[in-house]
Amino acid sequence: MQQQGSKSGSEMEVTWEDQQNINTFSRLNNRFHDLDDEIKSAKEKCDNLEDAGNELILADEEMVRFQIGEVFAHLPRDEVETRIEEMKEATCKSLEKLEEEKVSIVSQMSALKKVLYAKFKDSINLEED
Amino acid sequence: MSSSSPSGSGGELTERRGIPAAKFIQDVETYLSQSGLDPNSALAFHQERLQQYKVVEMKLLAQQRDLQAKIPDIEKCLEVVATLEARKGTGEALLADFEVSEGIYSRACIEDTDSVCLWLGANVMLEYSCDEATALLKNNLENAKASLEVLVADLQFLRDQVTVTQVTIARVYNWDVHQRRVKQVTPTAIAAADS
């Protein structure tokens, strides 16, 4: 009847399903940022282990000081090599898992964006500021 | 403000570990007439709720940071005890360089040993056998990880309530703007019809 010129979206109804979608989007967004940080530190750890492995190959000594906890233990070279390999494998595997989770979250978020923009158009802003 | 009024949200929690849930409003007009609030008071109420949620969020985030620092510490201790245990059979002493002060390290010769001392906090250190130490540390690690999980779930619940409250504030505000616009248009429409 009236208000045909008004496009402010102030007549938009928000259903419980919409609210849940918005909540889920918010959760995914938070998890996405946390994942970014985790991936960064996992990558750094991987690089450090790589460098350590290379240094070890170049080094001459038989006993190497390897950090366990807060102390540097004197360990034979072979043992250190094994330990570094194990740590590298574990870190790389967890990095892979994190990257996979990130990809899945990104796709979930873009699916939700489509749904929410379809209903709310300009009344909602889902972009990073 | 009645907290037991029926809502259409179907089976959601009304509060979690002391954090009150934000009730979802199906229809702004019904909500305002039921609660007897005018838009401004409703907005003020929800803004205050939002502030309270933020305070709780700060507290939970601090707890989360503490736990996230504690877990790697326990894991490091476990690693050291495991290394000592692995050496037990061989009879060799373990040489370790440890930090005495910033930038200053000293060498320790750790003989074959059956027991380790664990720092329990509050100036207390207890001697344990390697097995007991491993068991205690593993237990602490499990507890810390479980607490962290619960904390993360609390934070997610809290963030959901914050989002619901923010959306409610936006809706009440928009509804108010809409009402004012309707009131402005209607008198002019009547005047035009009369003339």
Side-chain angles (χ1 to χ4, degrees):
Chain A
M1 262 191 293
Q2 72 271 57
Q3 306 307 316
Q4 271 166 8
S6 146
K7 290 193 182 74
S8 65
S10 48
E11 305 138 48
M12 254 346 122
E13 283 309 313
V14 179
T15 64
W16 176 233
E17 200 192 320
D18 296 325
Q19 182 66 71
Q20 283 182 306
N21 281 344
I22 297 176
N23 284 356
T24 312
F25 185 83
S26 175
R27 280 198 195 196
L28 288 174
N29 196 22
N30 284 333
R31 180 69 193 139
F32 175 73
H33 287 296
D34 287 342
L35 265 181
D36 260 347
D37 291 336
E38 284 178 35
I39 287 180
K40 201 172 111 188
S41 74
K43 269 208 184 108
E44 234 181 275
K45 199 164 161 203
C46 226
D47 287 341
N48 285 344
L49 287 169
E50 188 72 44
D51 291 341
N54 293 341
E55 282 295 325
L56 190 60
I57 300 177
L58 297 172
D60 254 344
E61 312 150 9
E62 188 43 50
M63 291 300 251
V64 185
R65 269 161 286 187
F66 182 77
Q67 182 176 24
I68 305 182
E70 297 294 328
V71 304
F72 294 91
H74 290 221
L75 298 177
R77 206 161 140 190
D78 301 324
E79 200 179 326
V80 176
E81 237 178 275
T82 324
R83 282 192 187 230
I84 291 190
E85 277 310 310
E86 281 173 13
M87 283 168 74
K88 249 203 297 195
E89 221 185 286
T91 315
C92 283
K93 238 202 286 191
S94 87
L95 182 62
E96 248 178 65
K97 254 179 50 184
L98 289 174
E99 304 259 7
E100 270 174 35
E101 199 188 335
K102 183 170 163 180
V103 167
S104 134
I105 286 192
V106 166
S107 76
Q108 280 179 59
M109 273 169 68
S110 55
L112 272 177
K113 264 194 195 177
K114 276 206 196 101
V115 171
L116 287 171
Y117 277 141
K119 168 126 193 220
F120 292 111
K121 301 183 216 359
D122 284 334
S123 309
I124 195 169
N125 177 24
L126 298 167
E127 306 306 321
E128 299 284 327
D129 28 38
Chain B
M1 177 85 20
S2 153
S3 58
S4 57
S5 47
S7 72
S9 30
E12 296 296 320
L13 297 168
T14 50
E15 63 108 54
R16 183 195 158 106
R17 305 211 326 148
I19 308 169
K23 220 157 49 103
F24 176 70
I25 297 171
Q26 294 288 2
D27 179 45
V28 177
E29 193 153 354
T30 323
Y31 165 68
L32 287 177
S33 61
Q34 264 183 359
S35 63
L37 289 172
D38 65 287
N40 283 335
S41 317
L43 282 174
F45 169 72
H46 285 290
Q47 296 279 20
E48 209 194 306
R49 264 297 182 83
L50 205 60
Q51 291 311 316
Q52 291 170 341
Y53 283 144
K54 291 282 174 198
V55 165
V56 178
E57 191 178 355
M58 291 288 116
K59 204 175 71 167
L60 289 181
L61 282 174
Q63 283 177 354
Q64 189 189 23
R65 273 194 295 269
D66 283 341
L67 275 174
Q68 280 173 334
K70 209 166 127 182
I71 289 178
D73 268 350
I74 303 180
E75 283 173 346
K76 277 190 216 170
C77 289
L78 268 172
E79 217 184 315
V80 172
V81 176
T83 309
L84 286 176
E85 247 188 317
R87 294 239 152 197
K88 244 194 320 195
T90 65
E92 308 168 4
L94 178 70
L95 281 176
D97 294 339
F98 63 97
E99 195 176 26
V100 179
S101 173
E102 179 128 14
I104 303 176
Y105 291 78
S106 175
R107 189 154 294 173
C109 176
I110 307 173
E111 304 277 331
D112 217 12
T113 176
D114 282 328
S115 66
V116 291
C117 296
L118 291 180
W119 176 266
L120 300 178
N123 283 340
V124 174
M125 181 181 259
L126 272 188
E127 188 172 351
Y128 292 91
S129 73
C130 281
D131 295 325
E132 284 173 345
T134 311
L136 178 69
L137 287 170
K138 281 208 172 117
N139 198 19
N140 286 353
L141 189 63
E142 290 311 312
N143 290 343
K145 284 191 173 156
S147 301
L148 189 61
E149 255 181 64
V150 170
L151 200 65
V152 166
D154 283 348
L155 267 171
Q156 282 187 328
F157 173 78
L158 185 64
R159 289 209 179 104
D160 280 350
Q161 306 320 306
V162 166
T163 310
V164 171
T165 311
Q166 287 171 330
V167 169
T168 304
I169 291 177
R171 286 169 72 202
V172 170
Y173 181 77
N174 284 344
W175 182 87
D176 189 35
V177 166
H178 181 61
Q179 289 302 105
R180 287 172 203 270
R181 237 185 251 143
V182 170
K183 289 203 184 86
Q184 273 182 358
V185 170
T186 327
T188 36
I190 295 175
D194 280 348
S195 63

